[in-house]
Amino acid sequence: MFWTRLASGIVLIIIAVLALIVGRAPLAVLLWAVSMAGFRELTKALKCANHEKRLNCLEILGLAGVTAYYAAMFFSGSDTLLIMCIVGTLLAEMFVYVLAFPRFHADQAVAAVFSFLYAPVLLSFVYLTRMYPQGIYTVWMILISSWGCDTCAYVVGKLIGRKKIFPVLSPHKSLEGCIGGVAGAALIGWLYGHFFVEAAYPNQTVAWIIALICAVGAVMSMVGDLAASGIKRNHNIKDYGKLIPGHGGIMDRFDSMIVTAPMTYFLTILLLSV
């Protein structure tokens, strides 16, 4: 299991790094595929799906909404068009819920909309960050905040972790590990900012800004991880899926990155705009 997890983790990192470097179509297609899988995993976990292997109308509409949203993001990039896709998907789900009543329960309709907003829309901010000016430099803050924080938190927690901060939701997480994760992400962010990002921002000292963004992103990454764990515990499931050997599903591996991406994007606009 360890070697399977390690091998699939290495493959994931290679694919993610290559997609982030290239950007544009490869990154958009990869995020669309991940979002489609994540949406399906969430609808199954939240009981939107009537049958494990069969899509219902609410899910089909959601998947269509995901495709329309990513197509609008790639081909247009218009904020207005993206908002139209989001609102249009919500209205379409409401329309089907009313038209088919009482076939679908209100919880199913809400689950479909939540699944659309949670994984696909939030994850799209990886692409938006990459395509923002100087995005080739700033997009890596998403990985530092999520995967960097996770690694640092695990190491610190194993070494000195004592106080359980979320004993019911996540028994293995410690206060020391959480602090170590945020501090570690901030330090990695500062080093990355000092040696790499400042080259893209001449006459500016941005390393401390990168460290701050990574620290805030690290906090959000833990929120995303815990929120995804909470959904699993509420519905008595161990993993969201089996797509990634040794890791589970898309939502098991990308849960922290999903909420880190929009935070990184917004803080980049607020603090690093030139």
Side-chain angles (χ1 to χ4, degrees), residues 174-222:
S174 65
L175 176 61
E176 296 85 356
C178 291
I179 294 174
V182 175
L187 176 59
I188 297 171
W190 186 88
L191 292 171
Y192 172 68
H194 179 72
F195 290 104
F196 296 97
V197 182
E198 288 188 354
Y201 292 85
N203 304 318
Q204 293 187 59
T205 304
V206 300
W208 69 271
I209 299 178
I210 300 297
L212 175 61
I213 294 175
C214 289
V216 176
V219 174
M220 292 308 301
S221 76
M222 290 186 284

Side-chain angles (χ1 to χ4, degrees), residues 236-247:
N236 298 314
I237 59 176
K238 183 180 184 295
D239 294 316
Y240 281 99
K242 300 179 180 179
L243 185 62
I244 307 173
H247 293 269

Side-chain angles (χ1 to χ4, degrees), residues 126-191:
V126 174
Y127 180 86
L128 295 175
T129 302
R130 172 62 180 84
M131 302 314 297
Y132 194 73
Q134 310 298 352
I136 185 61
Y137 294 96
T138 58
V139 73
W140 303 104
M141 293 188 292
I142 298 174
L143 295 186
I144 293 172
S145 299
S146 53
W147 294 354
C149 171
D150 185 56
T151 301
C152 292
Y154 176 80
V155 172
V156 173
K158 280 291 185 182
L159 292 175
I160 61 173
R162 296 292 183 272
K163 183 176 178 58
K164 302 302 180 184
I165 189 170
F166 300 106
V168 177
L169 182 56
S170 185
H172 298 296
K173 274 190 168 51
S174 65
L175 176 61
E176 296 85 356
C178 291
I179 294 174
V182 175
L187 176 59
I188 297 171
W190 186 88
L191 292 171

Side-chain angles (χ1 to χ4, degrees), residues 41-268:
E41 289 176 359
L42 278 171
T43 56
K44 287 167 62 178
L46 296 172
K47 310 302 181 185
C48 173
N50 287 325
H51 191 275
E52 189 172 297
K53 296 183 179 180
R54 184 179 178 184
L55 295 171
N56 61 32
C57 293
L58 295 175
E59 291 178 292
I60 292 173
L61 273 177
L63 293 172
V66 173
T67 301
Y69 178 86
Y70 273 85
M73 181 180 68
F74 178 72
F75 291 106
S76 172
S78 167
D79 293 340
T80 301
L81 195 56
L82 293 179
I83 294 174
M84 288 175 61
C85 289
I86 294 172
V87 175
T89 301
L90 168 62
L91 296 178
E93 298 285 13
M94 292 175 61
F95 180 82
V96 168
Y97 169 67
V98 170
L99 192 65
F101 192 86
R103 177 183 175 188
F104 298 114
H105 194 274
D107 291 348
Q108 291 176 282
V110 172
V113 174
F114 175 78
S115 299
F116 169 74
L117 295 174
Y118 186 9
V121 173
L122 294 188
L123 197 59
S124 71
F125 282 90
V126 174
Y127 180 86
L128 295 175
T129 302
R130 172 62 180 84
M131 302 314 297
Y132 194 73
Q134 310 298 352
I136 185 61
Y137 294 96
T138 58
V139 73
W140 303 104
M141 293 188 292
I142 298 174
L143 295 186
I144 293 172
S145 299
S146 53
W147 294 354
C149 171
D150 185 56
T151 301
C152 292
Y154 176 80
V155 172
V156 173
K158 280 291 185 182
L159 292 175
I160 61 173
R162 296 292 183 272
K163 183 176 178 58
K164 302 302 180 184
I165 189 170
F166 300 106
V168 177
L169 182 56
S170 185
H172 298 296
K173 274 190 168 51
S174 65
L175 176 61
E176 296 85 356
C178 291
I179 294 174
V182 175
L187 176 59
I188 297 171
W190 186 88
L191 292 171
Y192 172 68
H194 179 72
F195 290 104
F196 296 97
V197 182
E198 288 188 354
Y201 292 85
N203 304 318
Q204 293 187 59
T205 304
V206 300
W208 69 271
I209 299 178
I210 300 297
L212 175 61
I213 294 175
C214 289
V216 176
V219 174
M220 292 308 301
S221 76
M222 290 186 284
V223 172
D225 178 45
L226 291 167
S229 296
I231 292 174
K232 289 193 290 187
R233 289 188 178 276
N234 284 156
H235 294 86
N236 298 314
I237 59 176
K238 183 180 184 295
D239 294 316
Y240 281 99
K242 300 179 180 179
L243 185 62
I244 307 173
H247 293 269
I250 290 297
M251 291 301 302
D252 295 295
R253 182 65 273 179
F254 291 89
D255 50 3
S256 58
M257 185 184 295
I258 286 172
V259 295
T260 300
M263 180 61 67
T264 300
Y265 176 76
F266 294 135
L267 289 178
T268 297

